[in-house]
Amino acid sequence: MSAPAPERSPEVVPVAGRRPLRVGRFSGVLRPRPLVVLVVTAAVLLLAAATNMGRGDYPIAITDVLATLFGGGDAGQQLVVLELRLPRTLTGALVGGALAVSGAILQSIARNPLASPDIIGVQWGAAASAVFVIVLGGGVAGVGGWFASLGIPLAALIGGLASATVVYVLAWRRGIQGYRLVLIGIGVQAVLVAAVQWLLTVAQIYQAAQAQVWLNGSLNARSWNEVVPLSIAMAVLVPLAFVLAHVLGGLRFDDDTARGIGIRVNGARTGLLFVSVGLASVATAAAGPIAFVALVCPQIARRVCRVGSPPLAVSMLLGAALTVVADLIARTALGAIELPVGIVTAVLGAPYLLFLLARARQEARA
Amino acid sequence: MRVRPRDTAAPAPPKRSLRRRRLIGLAALGAALLVALLGSIAIGTKVIPPGEVFSALFAPTGTENDLVIRSLRIPRTLLGVLVGIALGLAGALAQGFTRNPLADPGLLGINAGAAFFVVCGIYLFGVTSLFGYVWFAFAGALVASVAVFVIGTRATGGATPVSLALAGAAVSFLLQALTSSIVLLDETSLDAYRFWVVGSLAGRDADVAGQVVWFIVVGTVLALASAPALNALSLGDDVATSLGHSVRRTRLVGVVAITLLAGAATAACGPITFLGLIVPHVVRAFTGPDHRWLLPASGLAGAVLLLVADVVGRVVVRPGELQVGIVVALIGGPFFIALVRRKKLGAV
């Protein structure tokens, strides 16, 4: 852009049906649909969170939940809401949001809906090292509580970052090609799954049962200990993701085209990958490898918003809402038995994805 | 694709070298299969010298070694060959039909379906024998793959790779969730399931092979018969149609074949992931994309890989065993990664 800028030509050709939005040097396109989706999703998230904090063995009306959050409520309500259910709900929302953003970024980079942290080894890397700690380190039953509460998340975080690093290093050949990244991720994932399954066969049955709960992703007994590190990590990574997000649209094209419109392809991709893996790893460390959120929320968001690549903000809120709703169902659906949240995300997500696939068919016919 | 004019005097040199490469590759596979068969019969917790293997095969006298070979190792080896062929073929078919090099029979929900039905069998009917699992697993594989295919083809534009993959992922996740719920709520089921789910040839007697052999035979015939149609399909649906192939029928035959092969393999041994995914990639290195070569070679290579992995699993942690499904992943993973790095992967 070395040519002197001409007077802004009055005849800016508008794209049909799109309204340009200009603020000084920056311009974008105003798309009403994603905005509406964003607001609706946020409302669903808040409603689900409030309901989640009210339901359980000690029911509290939603109005009382809100009052307690703003400093009211009696001692019992304060304990239940502020110390038990609020951190748990927050963990769910943060984890879901982190996973969905992670998935949206990876799918955009790799230009492949299969590229998500639960497919290409990031979440399973975290899971494998956590199960390793449970089975070979004694886990909760064998070792003191502080080690178990610290050991598994820390192991998961290290495992997630390590397996992502391995995938990345192996996939690097004069740059990162999305396609190669997915293939190598699947290769690494297969090895990790085998390792976990082998660990489960050599474990004592009670360890295997405990590992099984963790492997499905669970928000049981999550407290401020999980919320604080998760919040800090996301406060760093999510803004980074949004700053880098403007290149995601360009990365949809082939590399030469992307370079032609001024994107430093390898640099942008590496930065985005780092953000994506970081988000998936901290999320998995906090709540286990909750499947499906990272894979499906970006795809659902993309279809609902009718845009080309997964939109970050909508994906994030959708992931948070899905996880909180799933946790509410997991806690209350089977009475006294609590299911891990990951099972419910799968049960909720799968039919909706199928419904969208079927609806796309009808639209094609129309 | 450069089209050569017909009237050039000399035949195209690349063609001849490709042919030679294919024949050498097939010969090497055949030799490898022979070695793997002998290894699988001779090597185990107890290594039996070649002379005694020979006498056990052709002139048994009822020694302990003869018994081990005839009643344990031969059935296990034959089952390994069957399952290896089935998985290799199923992988090549899955990749050919979806035109997706990432496709794997597991992508069609077959493993998840089999696992769910097996766990139901354990939980509801108290089935705990390997023989008893077979029909549950097979039924589950069938139900899952039919569901995925029906859902995938009802999506936009027929069974596109992406729609099939998404439908497969959705169905797999759903079934895995149900499976997980059962094993979480019932520790007895978990205890049986965790040993089935790693995939192993151990402890299966000749009856298990007998239960699945015909499914694998029919699946193999269907697979090999659809090779020309697959070649046409790889040029795109429109071209395949204009060449006189019914795309819909070809796909249906393909799904039936994949289900028979992968379903039977999973029913016999439990899920062995990854073999179907990597074998066609390995084989394509010398056969090229022509399915008439690719399919038989994938079957052979699948058998070789499975037998070798089984022998390795018997040896590495003696006197215990490492299940073949785990060995396949541990050998296959790095191998596959090396292949992906070395090759410039085109679309199938």
Side-chain angles (χ1 to χ4, degrees), chain A residues 170 172-173 179-180 183 190-191 194 198 200-201 203 209 213 216 291-292 295 303 337 340 343 347 350 354 361, chain B residues 101-102 151 154 166 170 173-174 180-181 184-185 187 190-191 194-195 198 274 322 326 329 336 340-342 345:
Chain A
L170 288 174
W172 179 274
R173 257 191 75 195
Y179 192 67
R180 195 165 51 226
L183 272 176
V191 174
W198 176 74
L200 289 182
T201 61
V213 172
N216 280 297
F292 217 78
L295 179 73
R303 282 160 198 268
I337 304 170
I343 285 183
V347 173
L354 300 180
R361 161 82 171 187
Chain B
L102 293 181
I151 294 158
R154 293 200 41 166
L166 285 176
F173 268 121
L174 195 59
S180 295
S181 313
L184 279 166
L185 301 177
E187 219 166 70
L190 174 63
D191 209 10
R194 65 184 173 141
F195 293 104
V198 286
F274 213 47
L322 207 54
I326 288 166
F336 174 67
V340 172
R341 280 185 54 80
R342 205 166 48 87
L345 284 157

Side-chain angles (χ1 to χ4, degrees), chain A residues 97-339:
Chain A
L99 288 177
V101 172
S102 174
I105 293 174
L106 267 182
Q107 289 173 4
S108 304
I109 292 176
R111 306 183 194 106
N112 188 322
L114 281 179
S116 80
D118 42 1
I119 302 277
I120 67 160
V122 181
Q123 283 181 263
W124 269 90
S129 48
V131 171
F132 191 80
V133 169
I134 292 172
V135 172
L136 302 178
V140 175
V143 186
W146 68 267
F147 176 78
S149 66
L150 198 88
I152 292 173
L154 206 64
L157 186 64
I158 293 166
L161 293 172
S163 70
T165 309
V166 168
V167 171
Y168 184 75
V169 167
L170 288 174
W172 179 274
R173 257 191 75 195
R174 292 191 294 278
I176 284 285
Q177 214 195 348
Y179 192 67
R180 195 165 51 226
L181 186 79
V182 174
L183 272 176
I184 285 185
I186 286 178
V188 170
Q189 170 105 321
V191 174
L192 291 167
V193 169
V196 168
Q197 287 181 340
W198 176 74
L199 281 170
L200 289 182
T201 61
V202 299
Q204 300 293 332
I205 182 65
Y206 70 88
Q207 291 168 339
Q210 190 205 336
Q212 195 70 33
V213 172
W214 199 89
L215 279 173
N216 280 297
S218 169
L219 292 170
N220 189 18
R222 294 302 186 267
S223 66
W224 292 107
N225 292 340
E226 279 81 26
V227 176
V228 173
L230 201 56
S231 311
I232 294 170
M234 285 184 72
V236 175
L237 292 171
V238 171
L240 266 177
F242 280 94
V243 168
L244 289 168
H246 71 276
V247 302
L248 280 179
L251 286 176
R252 286 217 312 274
F253 306 114
D254 63 285
D255 287 4
D256 295 339
T257 311
R259 285 194 185 92
I261 56 176
I263 295 173
R264 287 202 321 225
V265 171
N266 281 334
R269 221 177 257 154
T270 308
L272 279 162
L273 262 178
F274 175 80
V275 171
S276 168
V277 167
L279 285 169
S281 297
V282 294
T284 310
I290 299 178
F292 217 78
V293 177
L295 179 73
V296 166
C297 286
Q299 289 301 314
I300 293 176
R302 188 177 66 81
R303 282 160 198 268
V304 173
C305 295
R306 295 181 190 162
V307 289
S309 64
L312 287 191
V314 175
S315 298
M316 182 165 83
L317 285 181
L318 204 62
L322 176 68
T323 313
V324 171
V325 170
D327 188 40
L328 175 62
I329 295 170
R331 287 174 52 224
T332 54
L334 290 183
I337 304 170
E338 184 184 303
L339 283 173

Side-chain angles (χ1 to χ4, degrees), chain B:
Chain B
M1 287 280 289
R2 284 219 339 264
V3 183
R4 292 179 167 278
R6 274 267 176 219
D7 54 357
T8 44
K15 253 190 138 150
R16 187 184 290 168
S17 73
L18 179 64
R19 191 177 177 77
R20 189 180 320 135
R21 209 168 61 201
R22 283 170 174 168
L23 289 170
I24 291 171
L26 273 186
L29 272 183
L33 184 59
L34 209 62
V35 172
L37 282 169
L38 286 174
S40 176
I41 291 169
I43 302 167
T45 310
K46 180 176 185 183
V47 178
I48 297 170
E52 293 191 39
V53 170
F54 190 80
S55 71
L57 287 177
F58 301 106
T61 52
T63 60
E64 188 193 340
N65 281 349
D66 288 2
L67 273 176
V68 166
I69 285 181
R70 292 189 78 89
S71 63
L72 295 175
R73 287 198 189 157
I74 287 178
R76 181 169 176 163
T77 303
L78 290 178
L79 185 66
V81 171
L82 276 178
V83 167
I85 288 174
L87 287 172
L89 273 175
L93 283 176
Q95 290 176 12
F97 278 104
T98 57
R99 290 202 287 271
N100 174 4
L102 293 181
D104 172 278
L107 203 75
L108 289 173
I110 284 171
N111 289 334
F116 175 60
F117 272 54
V118 164
V119 166
C120 284
I122 299 168
Y123 181 67
L124 299 173
F125 305 106
V127 180
T128 49
S129 75
L130 294 170
F131 187 81
Y133 292 153
V134 171
W135 293 113
F136 283 102
F138 198 76
L142 194 74
V143 169
S145 78
V146 167
V148 168
F149 189 74
V150 167
I151 294 158
T153 39
R154 293 200 41 166
T156 4
T160 61
V162 170
S163 71
L164 266 186
L166 285 176
V171 169
S172 290
F173 268 121
L174 195 59
L175 289 166
Q176 276 161 8
L178 296 171
T179 306
S180 295
S181 313
I182 295 175
V183 300
L184 279 166
L185 301 177
D186 180 48
E187 219 166 70
T188 321
S189 300
L190 174 63
D191 209 10
Y193 170 75
R194 65 184 173 141
F195 293 104
W196 178 82
V197 78
V198 286
S200 171
L201 290 169
R204 273 84 178 161
D205 51 13
D207 293 345
V208 171
Q211 277 178 304
V212 297
V213 63
W214 293 111
F215 295 113
I216 292 177
V217 168
V218 174
T220 304
V221 170
L222 285 177
L224 297 179
S226 58
L230 273 175
N231 283 345
L233 209 62
S234 65
L235 302 171
D237 293 4
D238 298 343
V239 177
T241 309
S242 67
L243 289 171
H245 292 279
S246 157
V247 171
R248 187 182 293 256
R249 200 182 59 221
T250 306
R251 285 221 169 92
L252 191 67
V253 170
V255 166
V256 170
I258 291 169
T259 306
L260 285 174
L261 291 165
T266 309
C269 302
I272 296 174
T273 45
F274 213 47
L275 193 107
L277 176 71
I278 63 172
V279 161
H281 284 279
V282 176
V283 169
R284 222 174 269 125
F286 70 83
T287 62
D290 185 345
H291 285 89
R292 290 169 308 178
W293 289 86
L294 179 68
L295 290 173
S298 291
L300 284 178
V304 171
L305 182 53
L306 196 68
L307 285 180
V308 169
D310 191 39
V311 173
V312 169
R314 291 180 222 172
V315 175
V316 281
V317 288
R318 279 197 286 187
E321 270 196 25
L322 207 54
Q323 294 87 346
V324 71
I326 288 166
V327 181
V328 166
L330 294 181
I331 297 179
F335 191 85
F336 174 67
I337 288 166
L339 194 84
V340 172
R341 280 185 54 80
R342 205 166 48 87
K343 260 178 58 170
K344 192 157 171 42
L345 284 157
V348 173

